[in-house]
Each structure stands twice: as structure tokens, then as C-alpha cells.
């Protein structure tokens, strides 16, 4: 009997040990899978690419983004965003320049012309595009910008462009203020040029490249870096361990990866266009050129009210495009009343006893610069940071205001950022306690414009996860998200398709929004607001 009892005890001990081993193994596997889900880099610790089973959905294969591990909800969301952002370009072969869109021979007409319109009325404009032979085009896909404006009132609003894919476009405007309102239509890119840009986006996403300086003692080496560095050369893997955001540099020949000291913009790859393709990107010919009207290009709008007042009367219709407009050089949202802060005392009163965190690109930095310049009691602390880069810190001890700025992690096209100052927004959000006296402002967009959309969606997905966690633990935290906007086009159009700007001069000049930019408005809104 005692022998059987002893055997039973041994069996129980062995069973317990086995259960412990199985439990430890399962926990390890779960942690490993969770790490794989977060990192999604498909590159091992040595920087070499490893294979992964395909997901079955055709995505951009850039740097393994085709094989990301996504939940079913994330995959559906990404599919919807990719579909919404897809520009409709006709499936035609590369046409000669003379058959491409000519803004000088194209024209627009106001369809519902009348003696006068009332505030809130709809204005319809028909655009007919023609080629350089003066012949009507039979397909669409052109990138048009449409706006109404009254320069003397410093007023402007965008229009909604509908492409009928046959050379005709209709633009719908909501007339939002009384007075003489002018219509302006511009061709930013012909459809033939957009096809070239799409090719660059798919084949040359690394046309903007970055570099890092590695240094140890008297030895220094500068190496190329990017989100993805295809090839067989050894890599330094700087993928963020928490967010899984990928970043790599070619490994120096003499120095270890740990000797990296900074990050900076390397430049732009040149010579990507053939001679025939370059013809679609001619300044003063078919880039950001006006399309003239065939007939009047303005209408007279009268107020709904009998007595004229200083401000226009506009209905607060949340379902009407656009969501806002400029009047007397002030943005006026249509869905809510906006409070203006026109003097330092108003700003100080608003920010009193607040901790304000600004994360993002140069737009967020300009907010910091404006506040420290305009509000006299906000004193900036010299942290020894590079100019225009940061991080920056300002304090108003009298009113208990703390203001911080930090740029987002790579890719970021700044002159030079110390490696230790490359912080991802999601990680910074996870370090914030939050509360009713905490304000967070995020501006992330411009530096992602040359990369595949999957890169941008991934970054926002990580930020959204951190935002949700912050609001879960501190629901009264105020979070502000600034979306992208179009900009004045420079000489490097192929490398900066629809890259936005934070320059107020450009905002005041154009006040424009197009489908592609609107798509990114939607993208940012969906990514940030979903599940909150």
C-alpha cells in the first residue's frame, strides 16, 4: 500500500512539473506572438530579411507591409482606407504630350447662373478639359483644385469636384457669405502626370533618403537610412521595440550600430523621370495652372436677412460640404462655434494650470514658437537643442503653464536630430499621466507624403492605440489632432506629391482641398477617432 502511495506522489509531482513547463512554454509563446504582432518588421535581429507567410491580400510589398499581421478589424479598416485613397486614373498607355491635358485650352462655365444667389445656395460649375491640340479629352483623372473666394473680404472656401471620367468635371460650391464671389479652378497635375507619380510611389518610395552619422573616437562614418533598405548589405536594425516601427541604416564598415549619434535628411533621388514623363511636369505649362472661364467667373450673393451685419449668416448644417471656410482671414467651422484667442491674456487664461504637449512636425513646432513669442510670461528654457528641431520647453511659473514640444520619430526631414531625441509619438503618449489639466496636440503627416500609404496608416494606428489607452486611464485629457493640407508646389513636384505645408502664407493664398488631401483628412479622422 505504501509503495502505491509513494508511486502516486511521484506521479503527482511529475504531473505538476509538467504542467509548470507547459504553462511557461505557453506564456513564452504568447509573449513571442505578441511581440511579433507589435513589431511586424519581418527582419531578424541581425538586420536580415526573413520569410513570412502571405496574408492573401495584395498590398504594397514595400518593406514587408504586404505581410503585416493585422486583426480582422484592422485589415478591414486598412482595406477601406486604401480603397478610399485610390485615385481613379484611366487605364491607358503613356500618351504623347500633345494629347495630355492643356489648362490653357480647357474651360469652365457656371451652370446655374442667376442675377443673385442667397447665402447657403448651391453653385454648380462644369469643367471641360482639352488637350494641347484643342481636342476634348475622353477620359478623366486630372487633379483639379476648386475654390470660391472674395479677396476684399479675405474669404475663401473649397468646392467638391466630381470626375465623370469622360473629360468633364462638375464642381459643387456652397455659397457661405454675401458679396461678390469669384470661382477659381486650377489644374495641379494632368492625369498623365498622376500616372507617373503613382509609378514613383510604387517603385521608388525611397526617393527621399536619410542618413545617420556613426562616430567612435576619431573614426566616423555616414550611412544611408530609411524605413526599408532592400539589398544584401549588412543592416543596423533600429526598429522600435515597443511600437514595432521599422527603421534601418546600412551598417558602418568599422563601427558598431550603437555608435549612431544623429539622424538627418540625406536628399532626393534625381533622374527618376524619362524625357517623355518630364513633359507632364512643366512649370508654367501644366503644373498649378489656372483654367479660365467661358463666361462670367463670379456671382453676387446676398444675405438671408434683410439687415446686413458684419458676419455672414450660415446654417450650422453638419451634413453639408465643406465643414468650414475663411472669412476676414479667420477660419469659421460650420459644425460648432469657435472661440478666438486674439490677445495674450486670453491665451494665458485658457492655458492656466495646464501641461501642454506638442508632438509632430514643423507645424507643432511653430505652435510652440508662436506661443512663446506671443505670450510674454511663457519663458523658454534653453535645453541646448538644435534650432528648428527641439526638443523645446517653456514655463510660465506665474500661471502654472508648462509647454513642451518634441518632433515625431523617423521618417522626419529635419536638418539634424540627435539619435536620443528620436522619440515616437505613441511612446511619448504612454508616458503621460493625463488628466483635466493635460492637453496633447499631434501633427503627423507631412514627412510621410512620399511613402506608401501603409506606412502612414501604421504610424497612426500605433498613435491611436496610445490615445485610446491614455483616454482610458485619464478620460478628461484633451487631445487635439491636426490634419494635413495642400501646399504651394515647388520645383521638386515628383518628390512631394500633395505634401502639405504649415506656412500661413500658403494657407491664405490657396485655401484649397482636393480628393487626395480629403482622403487623408478621412484617414486621420478614422484612425484617431475610431473606438474612442
Amino acid at each position: 500500500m505504501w509503495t502505491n502511495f509513494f508511486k502516486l506522489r511521484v506521479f503527482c509531482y511529475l504531473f505538476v512539473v509538467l504542467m509548470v513547463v507547459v504553462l511557461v512554454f505557453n506564456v513564452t509563446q504568447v509573449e513571442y506572438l505578441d511581440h511579433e504582432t507589435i513589431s511586424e518588421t519581418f527582419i531578424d535581429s541581425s538586420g536580415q530579411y526573413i520569410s513570412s507567410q502571405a496574408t492573401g491580400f495584395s498590398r504594397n510589398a514595400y518593406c514587408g507591409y504586404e505581410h503585416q499581421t493585422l486583426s480582422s478589424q484592422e485589415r478591414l479598416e486598412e482595406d477601406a482606407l486604401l480603397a478610399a485613397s485610390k485615385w481613379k486614373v484611366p487605364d491607358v498607355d503613356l500618351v504623347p504630350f500633345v494629347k495630355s491635358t492643356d489648362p490653357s485650352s480647357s474651360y469652365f462655365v457656371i451652370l446655374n447662373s442667376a442675377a443673385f444667389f442667397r447665402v447657403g445656395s448651391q453653385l454648380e460649375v462644369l469643367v471641360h478639359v482639352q488637350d494641347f491640340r484643342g481636342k476634348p479629352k475622353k477620359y478623366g483623372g486630372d487633379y483639379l483644385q476648386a475654390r470660391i473666394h472674395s479677396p476684399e473680404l479675405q474669404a475663401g472656401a473649397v468646392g467638391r469636384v466630381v470626375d465623370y471620367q469622360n473629360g468633364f468635371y462638375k464642381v459643387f460650391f456652397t455659397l457661405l457669405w454675401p458679396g461678390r464671389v469669384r470661382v477659381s479652378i486650377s489644374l495641379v497635375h494632368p492625369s498623365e502626370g498622376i500616372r507617373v507619380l503613382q509609378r514613383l510611389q510604387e517603385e521608388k518610395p525611397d526617393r527621399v533618403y536619410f542618413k545617420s552619422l556613426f562616430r567612435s573616437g576619431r573614426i566616423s562614418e555616414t550611412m544611408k537610412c530609411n524605413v526599408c533598405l532592400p539589398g544584401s548589405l549588412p543592416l543596423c536594425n533600429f526598429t522600435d521595440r515597443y511600437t514595432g516601427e521599422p527603421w534601418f541604416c546600412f551598417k558602418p564598415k568599422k563601427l558598431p550600430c550603437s555608435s549612431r549619434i544623429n539622424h538627418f535628411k540625406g536628399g532626393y533621388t534625381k533622374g527618376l523621370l524619362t524625357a517623355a514623363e518630364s513633359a507632364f511636369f512643366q512649370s508654367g505649362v501644366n503644373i498649378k495652372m489656372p483654367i479660365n472661364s467661358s463666361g462670367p467667373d463670379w456671382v453676387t450673393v446676398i444675405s438671408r436677412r434683410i439687415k446686413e451685419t458684419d458676419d455672414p449668416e450660415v446654417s450650422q448644417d453638419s451634413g453639408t460640404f465643406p465643414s468650414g471656410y475663411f472669412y476676414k482671414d479667420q477660419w469659421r467651422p460650420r459644425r460648432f462655434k469657435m472661440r478666438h484667442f486674439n490677445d495674450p491674456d486670453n491665451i494665458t487664461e485658457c492655458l492656466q494650470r495646464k501641461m501642454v504637449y506638442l508632438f509632430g512636425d514643423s507645424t507643432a513646432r511653430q505652435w510652440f514658437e508662436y506661443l512663446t513669442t506671443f505670450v510674454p510670461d511663457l519663458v523658454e528654457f534653453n535645453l541646448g537643442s538644435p534650432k528648428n528641431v527641439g526638443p523645446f520647453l517653456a514655463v510660465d511659473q506665474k500661471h502654472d503653464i508648462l509647454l513642451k514640444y518634441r518632433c515625431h520619430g523617423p521618417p522626419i526631414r529635419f536638418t539634424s536630430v540627435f539619435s536620443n531625441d528620436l522619440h515616437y509619438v505613441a511612446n511619448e503618449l504612454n508616458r503621460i499621466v493625463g488628466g483635466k489639466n493635460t492637453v496633447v496636440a499631434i501633427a503627423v503627416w507631412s514627412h510621410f507624403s512620399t511613402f506608401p500609404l501603409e506606412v502612414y496608416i501604421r504610424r497612426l494606428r500605433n498613435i491611436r492605440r496610445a490615445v485610446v489607452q491614455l483616454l482610458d486611464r485619464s478620460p478628461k485629457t484633451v487631445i487635439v489632432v491636426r490634419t494635413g493640407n495642400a501646399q504651394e508646389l515647388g520645383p521638386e513636384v515628383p518628390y512631394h506629391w500633395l505634401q502639405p505645408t504649415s506656412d500661413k502664407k500658403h494657407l491664405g493664398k490657396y485655401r484649397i482641398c482636393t480628393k487626395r488631401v480629403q482622403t487623408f483628412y478621412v484617414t486621420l479622422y478614422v484612425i484617431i477617432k475610431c473606438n474612442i
Side-chain angles (χ1 to χ4, degrees):
M1 182 176 108
W2 287 106
T3 303
N4 293 337
F5 180 74
F6 178 75
K7 290 181 179 180
L8 180 62
R9 289 183 61 185
V10 172
F11 175 78
C12 291
Y13 285 139
L14 291 175
F15 180 78
V16 171
V17 171
L18 178 62
M19 291 298 296
V20 171
V21 171
V22 171
L23 180 62
V24 171
F25 176 81
N26 287 337
V27 170
T28 304
Q29 288 297 101
V30 170
E31 290 178 348
Y32 173 79
L33 291 174
D34 184 63
H35 174 72
E36 287 297 299
T37 302
I38 294 175
S39 64
E40 304 170 7
T41 60
F42 297 94
I43 299 177
D44 62 18
S45 58
S46 64
Q48 301 300 318
Y49 292 89
I50 59 176
S51 61
S52 176
Q53 185 176 0
T55 60
F57 183 83
S58 178
R59 282 180 167 79
N60 197 308
Y62 178 66
C63 202
Y65 279 87
E66 185 180 13
H67 308 303
Q68 288 187 82
T69 303
L70 303 175
S71 67
S72 58
Q73 181 179 359
E74 289 173 337
R75 186 166 297 279
L76 290 174
E77 178 184 59
E78 185 166 301
D79 290 348
L81 292 172
L82 293 174
S85 65
K86 187 175 180 58
W87 192 276
K88 292 183 179 180
V89 177
D91 187 16
V92 297
D93 296 330
L94 183 65
V95 302
F97 171 73
V98 293
K99 292 185 178 181
S100 65
T101 304
D102 177 17
S104 62
S105 63
S106 303
Y107 62 90
F108 72 87
V109 293
I110 297 176
L111 294 180
N112 54 340
S113 58
F116 59 86
F117 294 81
R118 291 190 180 275
V119 171
S121 299
Q122 294 292 308
L123 183 67
E124 297 182 11
V125 174
L126 183 68
V127 183
H128 190 197
V129 297
Q130 301 186 119
D131 61 24
F132 284 89
R133 303 171 300 171
K135 294 184 178 182
K137 293 190 65 176
K138 301 301 183 182
Y139 55 86
D142 298 298
Y143 171 17
L144 303 180
Q145 290 180 343
R147 64 183 178 122
I148 51 176
H149 56 109
S150 299
E152 67 280 0
L153 297 174
Q154 294 180 300
V158 301
R160 180 170 61 90
V161 179
V162 176
D163 184 356
Y164 290 102
Q165 298 293 316
N166 59 2
F168 286 92
Y169 303 79
K170 186 174 284 189
V171 186
F172 299 88
F173 296 101
T174 300
L175 300 172
L176 300 169
W177 61 87
R180 181 166 174 160
V181 178
R182 183 183 176 186
V183 177
S184 292
I185 310 292
S186 298
L187 173 72
V188 178
H189 286 303
S191 59
E192 296 79 12
I194 291 179
R195 290 197 64 191
V196 176
L197 293 171
Q198 288 181 333
R199 178 184 67 80
L200 291 177
Q201 197 77 4
E202 295 172 0
E203 300 177 4
K204 298 292 182 180
D206 56 347
R207 58 194 180 277
V208 177
Y209 59 92
F210 305 85
K211 291 185 177 182
S212 279
L213 176 64
F214 294 77
R215 178 184 294 163
S216 179
R218 296 183 177 181
I219 302 176
S220 62
E221 297 180 67
T222 300
M223 307 304 296
K224 187 176 179 180
C225 308
N226 218 319
V227 174
C228 184
L229 292 173
S232 58
L233 293 177
L235 300 176
C236 289
N237 186 353
F238 296 111
T239 298
D240 183 68
R241 60 179 299 184
Y242 298 106
T243 63
E245 293 289 349
W247 193 256
F248 303 92
C249 296
F250 286 122
K251 190 178 185 305
K253 296 179 179 179
K254 301 179 181 180
L255 298 174
C257 295
S258 58
S259 62
R260 183 177 69 147
I261 65 172
N262 69 1
H263 160 94
F264 57 95
K265 181 184 72 175
Y268 307 97
T269 304
K270 308 296 183 181
L272 297 176
L273 303 181
T274 65
E277 292 172 337
S278 298
F280 302 132
F281 303 96
Q282 299 185 59
S283 178
V285 177
N286 53 10
I287 290 181
K288 194 61 178 67
M289 292 298 295
I291 294 178
N292 296 321
S293 65
S294 177
D297 64 352
W298 59 273
V299 296
T300 300
V301 182
I302 62 174
S303 175
R304 288 175 175 173
R305 295 166 291 184
I306 299 177
K307 183 179 179 181
E308 232 19 272
T309 62
D310 190 44
D311 292 334
E313 176 191 10
V314 180
S315 61
Q316 303 292 321
D317 187 353
S318 61
T320 301
F321 180 90
S323 61
Y325 62 102
F326 279 89
Y327 187 78
K328 294 189 176 180
D329 205 29
Q330 295 288 332
W331 174 252
R332 307 221 170 173
R334 301 178 65 196
R335 301 186 183 186
F336 53 86
K337 296 291 184 180
M338 187 171 72
R339 181 182 173 188
H340 294 273
F341 299 86
N342 299 319
D343 58 72
D345 292 338
N346 293 145
I347 297 177
T348 300
E349 180 184 358
C350 176
L351 298 181
Q352 189 168 5
R353 293 184 297 277
K354 295 291 191 299
M355 296 179 64
V356 183
Y357 299 88
L358 306 177
F359 300 119
D361 48 35
S362 58
T363 298
R365 190 199 71 231
Q366 289 171 10
W367 291 344
F368 180 94
E369 293 170 348
Y370 175 79
L371 289 172
T372 53
T373 302
F374 191 64
V375 181
D377 291 329
L378 264 175
V379 179
E380 181 178 355
F381 276 54
N382 185 2
L383 301 178
S385 304
K387 185 179 180 182
N388 298 334
V389 174
F392 300 128
L393 171 68
V395 175
D396 179 352
Q397 293 183 327
K398 180 179 178 182
H399 301 95
D400 295 330
I401 301 173
L402 178 67
L403 181 65
K404 291 184 176 182
Y405 162 77
R406 182 177 290 279
C407 68
H408 65 70
I412 191 160
R413 295 189 296 268
F414 283 174
T415 53
S416 181
V417 185
F418 291 119
S419 301
N420 291 336
D421 288 331
L422 289 173
H423 294 199
Y424 290 94
V425 174
N427 292 338
E428 292 300 302
L429 292 174
N430 289 332
R431 297 186 182 101
I432 295 176
V433 176
K436 64 178 182 179
N437 291 325
T438 300
V439 180
V440 178
I442 304 170
V444 177
W445 149 244
S446 176
H447 299 252
F448 292 83
S449 59
T450 59
F451 290 92
L453 187 58
E454 289 90 337
V455 178
Y456 184 57
I457 292 176
R458 178 184 193 153
R459 182 63 55 87
L460 293 182
R461 187 184 294 119
N462 280 322
I463 293 175
R464 177 182 63 184
R465 186 181 296 114
V467 167
V468 172
Q469 293 172 351
L470 174 57
L471 292 179
D472 281 344
R473 63 179 180 267
S474 302
K476 294 184 178 181
T477 305
V478 177
I479 299 178
V480 180
V481 178
R482 193 262 188 191
T483 55
N485 58 271
Q487 81 167 91
E488 182 180 14
L489 298 174
E492 293 174 317
V493 174
Y495 313 107
H496 299 280
W497 185 25
L498 297 189
Q499 175 192 334
T501 183
S502 53
D503 191 337
K504 189 176 184 293
K505 173 185 67 175
H506 297 155
L507 291 176
K509 185 175 182 180
Y510 293 111
R511 318 281 197 215
I512 50 182
C513 184
T514 59
K515 177 183 176 182
R516 182 77 176 187
V517 175
Q518 289 172 21
T519 296
F520 278 99
Y521 280 143
V522 173
T523 301
L524 198 54
Y525 176 81
V526 171
I527 290 290
I528 294 296
K529 291 293 290 185
C530 184
N531 298 330
I532 295 182

